[in-house]
Amino acid sequence: MIRVFLAEDQTMFRGAMAALLGLEADLEVVGDVSRGDEVVAACERLRPDVALLDIEMPGMDGLEAARRLRSAVPETRVVIVTTFGRPGYLHAAMAAGARGFLLKDAPVAELAAGIRKVAAGGQAVDPALAVAALSEGASPLTPREKDVLAAARAHGTIADIGRDLHLSPGTVRNHLSAAIQKLGARTRTEAIDIAVSKGWL
């Protein structure tokens, strides 16, 4: 019996997924949470074989939860399940230690097969997303450029971004300019939109 844990903030979807996976003879849903910052404690207690994590959850996103889970409960293998089929998310999920990346609109049989594959030590990645990720490549942004673009989403001025990241206004401008150029954008708003659409931000 494969012990499965669910982390998903949409109550109806989480309940439906638990019910459908529970119909599989070899899968047992042993617990679930609605927040990313509850994942590690729950998995430390329940010791599931596979944890299905959504990317976007309150408290902590699924990628950070996967990173922390890899350290805290390394025997639990992670599968990211998301509505966002963005190539950059696949790269980030694998870097965080996930063994699978599947889309929420996949058939339940495909999700169950992916869980079995990951539980057996393999990997399960949505084929179309894998092809897109290979053709897209990794993010061209440096970690600092990514930080500056992310801060630019929340702050209107260069000074605000600088205060948030403890950088001088000139350094913020340089990082924004580099990010805009690398992404082939004309403005920082366009650069943010491109980075978000590719899952790089």
Side-chain angles (χ1 to χ4, degrees), residues 23-43:
L23 296 175
E24 300 289 325
D26 58 340
L27 303 182
E28 178 188 8
V29 177
V30 296
D32 63 84
V33 296
S34 61
R35 296 177 56 88
D37 52 5
E38 296 174 351
V39 168
V40 172
C43 287

Side-chain angles (χ1 to χ4, degrees), residues 1-5 21-22 24-31 48 50:
M1 186 66 76
I2 299 169
R3 293 166 54 81
V4 180
F5 173 81
L21 290 176
E24 300 289 325
D26 58 340
L27 303 182
E28 178 188 8
V29 177
V30 296
V50 177

Side-chain angles (χ1 to χ4, degrees), residues 47-49 66 68-78 97 99:
R47 300 286 165 173
D49 300 304
R68 297 189 184 191
L69 196 54
R70 179 173 56 179
S71 298
V73 193
E75 67 270 24
T76 296
R77 295 181 171 99
V78 172
R99 303 301 302 270

Side-chain angles (χ1 to χ4, degrees), residues 15 35 47 49 57 62 66-67 73 75 85-86 93 95 106 119 122 124-126 128 132 136 146 151 156 191 200-201:
R35 296 177 56 88
R47 300 286 165 173
D49 300 304
M57 292 184 285
R67 277 188 284 272
V73 193
E75 67 270 24
R86 296 171 182 161
V125 177
D126 180 86
E136 190 69 59
K146 183 179 172 183
W200 292 339
L201 197 60

